[in-house]
Amino acid sequence: MIKAAYLHIPFCEHICYYCDFNKVFLKGQPVDDYLKGLEQEMRLTLTQHPIEEKLETIFVGGGTPTSLNEQQLEQLCESINNYLPLVANGEFTFEANPGDLSKEKLQILKDAGVNRISLGVQTFDDELLKKIGRVHRAKDVYASLETIRSVGFENISIDLIYSLPTQTLADFQKTLTTALSLQLPHYSAYSLIIEPKTVFYNLFKKGKLPTPGEDIEAYMYELLMEEMAKHGLCHYEISNFSLTGYESRHNLTYWDNEPYYGFGAGAHSYLDGVRRSNIGPLKKYLEQINRGILPVQEYHTVSISEQMEEEMFLGLRKIAGVSLSRFQEKFNQNLIQIFSAEIKELTAKKWIEVNDDNIYLTKQGRLLGNEVFQMFLGVFD
Ligand code: SF4
């Protein structure tokens, strides 16, 4: 059963140097047409894949959803509430950037039922913020958090990025200390990945991007885990920490390898065993949807063996790991037997461990996450 929906708002007021998300510079874009297109996409999709029971999570991400003006935010929320009914205790998240959040916009979100805000902070170091192409500064984060809290939101998350150009371990420690002093219930922290087609990628290729290097990055990750634990935050996914009960239920849908709707330019969805990706460029997305055709660019039917591989690839991101009994229930197969060679190799390396009902990363394995996850892909080829 489909319990989650993602909506993509691809507009940003500026473009950050490291970002490879599907986004465009806001000025001059057909935002109102896009919102109508989104509504049309929801209508068409739900005709084919109706909601059986109310959804449990809705996540509006981007881009920068809060770059929309008040009227546009109201319209977006109205469409969402019309088409995507949410259970009474559902999680309804909006991503936001510090600096573009007025009290009025937040009140619109609150009135529409939004109950979780995820704020893209990245670092509290103003010099580093400049270097990575962000326009907000640390003071904007404090001001935004004050406004968010004053409107009555308490389920707040911030995103951090580490291993930034020129960043030292001491710099990261300072950012962590500041972040934790804010006493938020949820933190995400990702190491910088240099993606093609970004400003950073070009600098990197020219040898002009002084990143701290793998060793410092590993120390930063260890520091992150230590500091979060010291402050009572539970490490529940490789890059995510929260107080009990504040885990991102929406993102857990992905890591649990469950189906979800995805609406908007470049959005992905997983419906009835088929992974789809939407057309990315805005103009093409709108052309297609305005002709009454779903703007899907690619369909991939996931075979049972791929589903089992994905269960591992995604599920091992969770610190609790993959449940053996859940795997048995879902696929009618014994996980340990299916992946016996991989499990043998990884346990010998001490990168994973198996207990009564779970297979999970060791602390050492967390540092090498991607290497571990990839071992479970292509096993049946
Ligand atoms: S990081 Fe966020 S704000 Fe910056 S360009 Fe990417 S989507 Fe926009």
Side-chain angles (χ1 to χ4, degrees), residues 11-12 14-16 18-21 23 62-64 97 122 134:
F11 308 109
C12 288
H14 62 277
I15 303 298
C16 308
Y18 55 88
C19 178
D20 79 327
F21 296 145
K23 80 288 164 186
T64 314
N97 272 345
Q122 322 317 356
R134 299 289 309 207

Side-chain angles (χ1 to χ4, degrees), residues 110-123:
K110 186 92 174 72
D111 294 344
V114 175
N115 52 24
R116 186 171 183 270
I117 299 287
S118 173
L119 201 60
V121 171
Q122 322 317 356
T123 168

Side-chain angles (χ1 to χ4, degrees), residues 2-5 7 38-53 55 58 79-85 260-263 271-272 276 289 294:
I2 310 160
K3 292 189 277 190
L7 292 98
L38 260 184
E39 191 170 286
Q40 167 86 325
E41 190 192 350
M42 285 190 254
R43 198 176 57 75
L44 287 175
T45 307
L46 295 176
T47 316
Q48 293 180 7
H49 303 274
I51 294 178
E52 289 171 44
E53 278 177 30
L55 299 178
I58 296 173
S79 312
I80 294 175
N81 284 329
N82 278 342
Y83 285 96
L84 307 174
Y260 56 91
Y261 295 104
F263 304 107
L271 304 171
D272 290 339
R276 317 143 167 245
I289 199 73
L294 276 178

Side-chain angles (χ1 to χ4, degrees), residues 168-297:
T168 63
L169 197 57
D171 292 337
F172 185 49
Q173 171 75 70
K174 268 195 217 155
T175 272
L176 278 176
T177 306
T178 310
L180 288 161
S181 73
L182 299 169
Q183 298 189 323
L184 299 171
H186 191 283
Y187 295 86
S188 303
Y190 304 94
S191 65
L192 175 72
I193 296 177
I194 299 156
E195 303 280 6
K197 297 190 202 148
T198 60
V199 173
F200 272 3
Y201 187 73
N202 292 332
L203 287 172
F204 180 72
K205 276 206 325 211
K206 288 183 199 150
K208 289 187 178 162
L209 195 72
T211 48
E214 275 178 20
D215 288 349
I216 302 288
E217 182 179 320
Y219 288 134
M220 287 179 175
Y221 187 53
E222 279 175 20
L223 181 68
L224 171 71
M225 290 193 279
E226 263 168 42
E227 288 292 320
M228 290 288 160
K230 255 196 242 164
H231 288 79
L233 289 142
C234 173
H235 193 182
Y236 74 98
E237 192 268 350
I238 202 140
S239 307
N240 284 277
F241 304 81
S242 79
L243 296 180
T244 309
Y246 286 89
E247 298 83 2
S248 163
R249 286 162 59 192
H250 183 81
N251 287 339
L252 279 165
T253 308
Y254 304 141
W255 303 318
D256 283 338
N257 198 17
E258 295 291 338
Y260 56 91
Y261 295 104
F263 304 107
H268 294 248
S269 56
Y270 187 26
L271 304 171
D272 290 339
V274 180
R275 290 202 184 271
R276 317 143 167 245
S277 52
N278 275 355
I279 297 170
L282 211 61
K283 205 168 151 242
K284 289 196 177 143
Y285 169 87
L286 285 176
E287 271 168 20
Q288 183 98 336
I289 199 73
N290 289 339
R291 283 162 51 214
I293 303 168
L294 276 178
V296 179
Q297 173 173 284

